[in-house]
Amino acid sequence: MQNLIKNHSVTADAWLLIRDDQPYSDGDDVILPLDAYLAVPAGSRSGRTAVWLAPDADLAQLLRLLPALSLLAIDFPAFTDGRGYSLARLLRERHGYRGELRAVGDVQRDQLAYMAQVGFDAFAIREDRPAEAALSGLNDFTERYQATVLQPQPLFKRRTFS
């Protein structure tokens, strides 16, 4: 089980994140790297299958699959690697992805508020950090100046003058 935050609460995770050539059973619900997902014939597994993207992923390979994906994960291999933020915002705003968008990898409390603003709605917190403590990171900021996925209008357009 991972430290999963979803819908603003800590929850159990039924999905297995598969890295490298890690074995899994046919009935497992798995999140596969994009290349491995593309290699699995449609309908050949009894368990659910989702995709995780590396931060340098080419979204063109994925676009035709988006309607069929209920879960899409984006990997953050290091706390300092911000490319996943751009992928999330592109998927939500430009490509209209509406399924679960999960941050995986080196995900920590300090990132959650920003990740939510670009479209993430689930967060697999690093295993060495308690998800309960990270949960409050979603509420670090009460107002945002710029437009985001959650608040498409910037503050100056929302502000009322008297």
Side-chain angles (χ1 to χ4, degrees):
M1 293 277 200
Q2 293 181 6
N3 279 327
L4 184 66
I5 295 174
K6 184 176 173 182
N7 301 323
H8 290 267
S9 63
V10 177
T11 184
D13 187 8
W15 293 86
L16 296 174
L17 182 71
I18 306 299
R19 295 194 182 268
D20 305 318
D21 290 327
Q22 181 181 342
Y24 58 90
S25 301
D26 180 58
D28 290 340
D29 295 334
V30 294
I31 307 172
L32 299 174
L34 180 57
D35 291 340
Y37 179 86
L38 294 172
V40 174
S44 65
R45 301 191 65 253
S46 61
R48 297 178 296 170
T49 309
V51 174
W52 67 263
L53 300 173
D56 61 350
D58 178 9
L59 290 182
Q61 290 182 300
L62 182 70
L63 295 181
R64 64 179 173 76
L65 306 171
L66 286 181
L69 291 171
S70 63
L71 185 153
L72 185 57
I74 297 176
D75 190 31
F76 286 81
F79 179 80
T80 56
D81 190 338
R83 296 173 291 175
Y85 292 93
S86 299
L87 287 175
R89 191 144 190 188
L90 286 169
L91 285 164
R92 290 288 193 208
E93 291 183 339
R94 185 175 295 169
H95 303 296
Y97 180 69
R98 296 290 166 242
E100 178 181 326
L101 191 56
R102 182 181 295 194
V104 299
D106 192 9
V107 178
Q108 300 179 39
R109 179 201 185 281
D110 294 348
Q111 299 165 291
L112 298 190
Y114 300 109
M115 288 177 165
Q117 293 305 310
V118 297
F120 287 100
D121 52 9
F123 314 89
I125 305 299
R126 280 181 24 178
E127 290 183 16
D128 64 331
R129 308 284 172 105
E132 292 80 9
L135 186 58
S136 63
L138 288 170
N139 301 315
D140 279 350
F141 305 102
T142 58
E143 196 62 73
R144 285 135 187 104
Y145 294 113
Q146 69 276 28
T148 70
V149 170
L150 295 179
Q151 179 53 262
Q153 287 193 320
L155 182 62
F156 77 90
K157 287 190 176 183
R158 291 179 273 141
R159 189 169 166 202
T160 58
F161 295 95
S162 47

